[in-house]
Amino acid sequence: MAQFVLDQLCKHFPEAVEETSAVHGNETAYIKRDAILEVAKYLRDDAALCFDMPIDCTALDWQDQKPQRFEVVYHIYSTTLKHRLRLKIRLDEKDIETPALTQIWKGMNWHERECWDMYGVVFTGHPKLKRILLYEEFEGFPLRKDYPVEGRQPLIEMRDTATVPTEKEITPEMLNRP
Amino acid sequence: MSETALLESEIIVTRRESAEGWLRDAIENFGQKGVNWSRKYSLFSYPFVTACCGMEFMSVSGPRYDIAQYGAEFPRFSPRQADLIWIVGTISQKQAPVLKRVWEQMCEPKWGIAFGACASTGGFYDNYTTVQGADMVIPIDVYIPGCPPRPEQVLDGLRLLQNKIKTESGRVMV
């Protein structure tokens, strides 16, 4: 599939590529954080690679892996050469910052905002890094594994529904059946 | 049997006379009963459609299941002209203030129906982002279960609401 791309990457950036793998045609390269901008620029501009389409940006939270707890995952695709690649960046829990690839592909803008919204990954150089799905008043990052499942943060005061009868307490009169 | 009663019983009641008789009755007991009767067949609904239950709502509104036969066919897309709100779909925490505001814009008398599992209880979205039932935001009169509910269930829910309106003794007019 795109083994050629991985070979090219290893040839040009022997320092930056930590590890590569290819399972069922999903070519993956772990890239060092400091080199990601350079690598992405090369992937986009090189005539033999020509990755012109950003597909997705998301993150993974390996809660028990310390200190490199987070992984940021990018998917990119070439519409002319029809190959795709997955880039991964390992991040420390304490230093959760990575350069924004919005600078390379404009289409990564909302994906990176969502990634910030859900995981709290700080993308340096992003033009507008603010919440996209949740509301501004929300505290914390809900897709992190240590966020409580029922950590609700309502915007308005909720009504007391304790007085609503349960199924067993409903009488025929309540239903007003004729 | 007296002579007059016998005479009256022989009169054939025409449709017009029967209608006038009903009108007389309605005016005599105009109190709550006549008002309730007219309200229950002229529900102006406001569909607050947020999720996939909307497809089922469209099906109920369409010609096959034909909610018009129950007098609730006329969707108003302004809450100020509506007296029945259908909450069709999931209500997220971000949307709760919007729903509350829409409800507060509606004039009394007004009613609310929670359409489907999400609007009734939050459904299977038991997480940080979903309000666990629209009744935590506004008062609800009828809950229609189902994911999504069958159109027959929806019509049954509407009949329940109409029966509720029929037997209402009075509402606080604010």
Side-chain angles (χ1 to χ4, degrees):
Chain A
M1 300 273 211
Q3 188 60 44
F4 161 72
V5 179
L6 290 184
D7 296 342
Q8 286 290 98
L9 264 184
C10 292
K11 204 172 97 189
H12 277 84
F13 301 97
E15 296 291 310
V17 179
E18 287 175 351
E19 148 190 3
T20 62
S21 67
V23 182
H24 304 304
N26 289 321
E27 277 74 16
T28 306
Y30 280 88
I31 310 285
K32 284 205 176 103
R33 180 183 67 179
D34 301 331
I36 185 70
L37 263 184
E38 208 180 323
V39 171
K41 206 167 168 50
Y42 166 73
L43 287 170
R44 184 191 64 179
D45 293 338
D46 192 88
L49 302 175
C50 199
F51 283 95
D52 52 359
M53 185 176 179
I55 302 286
D56 196 16
C57 164
T58 184
L60 296 169
D61 180 1
W62 302 104
Q63 195 180 6
D64 303 326
Q65 260 181 39
K66 301 268 166 92
Q68 290 194 316
R69 176 177 159 187
F70 292 96
E71 268 176 25
V72 177
V73 187
Y74 289 101
H75 291 100
I76 48 177
Y77 181 67
S78 168
T79 53
T80 49
L81 304 175
K82 315 285 183 204
H83 53 214
R84 60 180 76 232
L85 180 67
R86 182 187 292 155
L87 300 173
K88 290 190 175 185
I89 306 156
R90 292 201 179 95
L91 288 180
D92 277 16
E93 194 178 353
K94 297 274 162 54
D95 181 23
I96 184 162
E97 264 187 28
T98 178
L101 291 198
T102 310
Q103 299 166 91
I104 310 292
W105 294 284
K106 284 213 168 80
M108 281 295 182
N109 191 324
W110 283 13
H111 295 301
E112 286 181 338
R113 273 179 72 183
E114 188 195 1
C115 195
W116 151 254
D117 197 356
M118 295 293 157
Y119 291 95
V121 179
V122 179
F123 293 93
T124 49
H126 192 283
K128 188 181 181 183
L129 197 65
K130 56 184 277 198
R131 290 197 183 273
I132 185 167
L133 292 171
L134 288 166
Y135 32 97
E136 283 297 315
E137 294 87 344
F138 199 90
E139 284 171 18
F141 302 102
L143 288 197
R144 287 191 180 185
K145 295 291 176 204
D146 50 6
Y147 189 85
V149 175
E150 299 195 349
R152 299 198 176 91
Q153 302 184 20
L155 284 171
I156 53 171
E157 196 186 338
M158 289 290 156
R159 295 176 71 243
D160 178 22
T161 52
T163 52
V164 175
T166 61
E167 196 179 356
K168 283 177 188 162
E169 293 160 2
I170 291 179
T171 59
E173 289 79 40
M174 280 182 188
L175 290 173
N176 283 324
R177 289 234 181 236
Chain B
M1 194 180 281
S2 73
E3 205 172 275
T4 45
L6 195 69
L7 278 173
E8 273 179 6
S9 71
E10 283 171 352
I11 297 170
I12 301 163
V13 178
T14 61
R15 285 181 68 183
R16 182 176 166 185
E17 281 163 344
S18 108
E20 281 174 349
W22 172 84
L23 196 61
R24 198 166 49 239
D25 283 353
I27 292 168
E28 278 168 9
N29 322 310
F30 195 60
Q32 204 60 42
K33 214 170 156 189
V35 175
N36 283 348
W37 183 88
S38 53
R39 274 176 185 166
K40 86 175 195 188
Y41 288 123
S42 68
L43 291 166
F44 281 48
S45 45
Y46 178 80
F48 191 85
V49 181
T50 53
C52 37
C53 275
M55 300 309 290
E56 215 61 37
F57 183 77
M58 290 169 215
S59 164
V60 183
S61 318
R64 181 175 286 267
Y65 290 98
D66 191 21
I67 207 167
Q69 63 189 310
Y70 299 104
E73 81 275 29
F74 204 28
R76 308 301 305 200
F77 295 104
S78 163
R80 288 160 198 252
Q81 298 168 349
D83 52 13
L84 166 63
I85 187 169
W86 295 83
I87 297 143
V88 187
T90 326
I91 302 297
S92 62
Q93 299 285 6
K94 201 174 175 180
Q95 193 135 39
V98 181
L99 175 60
K100 195 174 165 69
R101 188 160 186 163
V102 165
W103 173 253
E104 282 167 356
Q105 283 182 50
M106 291 166 64
C107 295
E108 286 277 354
K110 56 188 175 182
W111 299 273
I113 287 184
F115 187 117
C118 291
S120 305
T121 65
F124 51 74
Y125 300 108
D126 188 6
N127 59 19
Y128 64 96
T129 187
T130 307
V131 177
Q132 301 298 294
D135 54 0
M136 295 182 85
V137 185
I138 66 170
I140 297 292
D141 291 286
V142 174
Y143 302 81
I144 303 172
C147 185
R150 289 281 310 168
E152 292 88 340
Q153 274 174 279
V154 180
L155 295 177
D156 190 44
L158 184 70
R159 297 296 290 170
L160 279 176
L161 180 69
Q162 287 180 334
N163 286 324
K164 183 175 178 176
I165 295 171
K166 193 172 80 181
T167 51
E168 261 174 7
S169 55
R171 287 174 77 92
V172 183
M173 311 293 273
V174 185

